[in-house]
Amino acid sequence: MSSRLSPLQRFDNAAQPHGGRPQSSLRLSCSRLEKIRFLLVGAGVFVVDFSLFLILTNLLELQFMLARSIAFLIAVVVSWLVNRNWTFSGRLAQPKLKQLTKSLSVAIAAASMNLLTFYTVNTVLFERVANLTVANFIGFALGVLAGLIVNWLGANYWTFNNIESQQ
């Protein structure tokens, strides 16, 4: 039977006890496959996010915080759609309005952490780094990392958590 499964499905089943049946406890609420998918989505969204930021700052010459905010908002929408339809598609769905509200809350928290980190790092590095592009990239990368942590925790344990594990 396992020979009919894709390599990712076999990997996922091997990572889960009881023959690949999903666990409902909070501690085991995510599989290795979900983690890999979440990171792949994050990597793709990072490319989209940073590319948009560069286009907005360098080609359209927008102020860096405005450009960062616009790029981030677009990245949040792309991330939510892909995670909802691919990364966490195997979980029991919550009512759409409830899940949307949770997703927006997590996005706001992640955006706040991302932008605060970005702004703080750029402010600190502004006078210390001769190349403003380097300062922007360091602030951008650290902001994305801070937002990723908040987004993962919120997405995995709250927004896309199985209904049965919330009772």
Side-chain angles (χ1 to χ4, degrees):
M1 180 170 159
S2 66
S3 63
R4 295 182 186 170
L5 299 175
S6 74
L8 282 177
Q9 289 170 322
R10 284 194 300 270
F11 176 80
D12 189 39
N13 285 349
Q16 295 183 16
H18 311 298
R21 289 185 305 237
Q23 298 295 309
S24 62
S25 72
L26 184 63
R27 188 173 56 83
L28 295 174
S29 66
C30 73
S31 69
R32 287 184 187 169
L33 181 59
E34 286 176 340
K35 288 176 186 174
I36 291 168
R37 286 179 174 181
F38 188 84
L39 291 173
L40 288 172
V41 170
V45 170
F46 177 85
V47 171
V48 169
D49 193 3
F50 192 60
S51 298
L52 286 171
F53 175 72
L54 289 177
I55 289 167
L56 294 171
T57 55
N58 294 330
L59 296 178
L60 300 179
E61 298 180 357
L62 292 181
Q63 191 270 338
F64 81 104
M65 283 305 292
L66 176 61
R68 186 67 196 99
S69 298
I70 292 169
F72 184 81
L73 288 173
I74 293 169
V76 165
V77 171
V78 170
S79 177
W80 181 77
L81 286 171
V82 177
N83 280 319
R84 175 176 162 70
N85 294 304
W86 186 54
T87 305
F88 300 109
S89 63
R91 295 189 181 190
L92 298 174
Q94 299 176 34
K96 289 182 182 179
L97 184 58
K98 183 177 181 179
Q99 191 178 47
L100 177 60
T101 302
K102 286 181 172 186
S103 183
L104 289 173
S105 298
V106 170
I108 290 168
S112 298
M113 183 60 72
N114 184 319
L115 296 174
L116 178 64
T117 303
F118 176 75
Y119 181 78
T120 302
V121 170
N122 274 283
T123 301
V124 168
L125 291 179
F126 183 72
E127 294 181 9
R128 293 179 175 89
V129 177
N131 187 335
L132 190 56
T133 303
V134 171
N136 281 341
F137 180 77
I138 292 169
F140 186 93
L142 292 176
V144 167
L145 179 61
L148 173 69
I149 292 167
V150 171
N151 196 26
W152 168 252
L153 293 173
N156 185 52
Y157 294 109
W158 193 47
T159 303
F160 298 105
N161 198 13
N162 281 325
I163 300 170
E164 63 189 34
S165 64
Q166 295 177 1
Q167 298 173 357

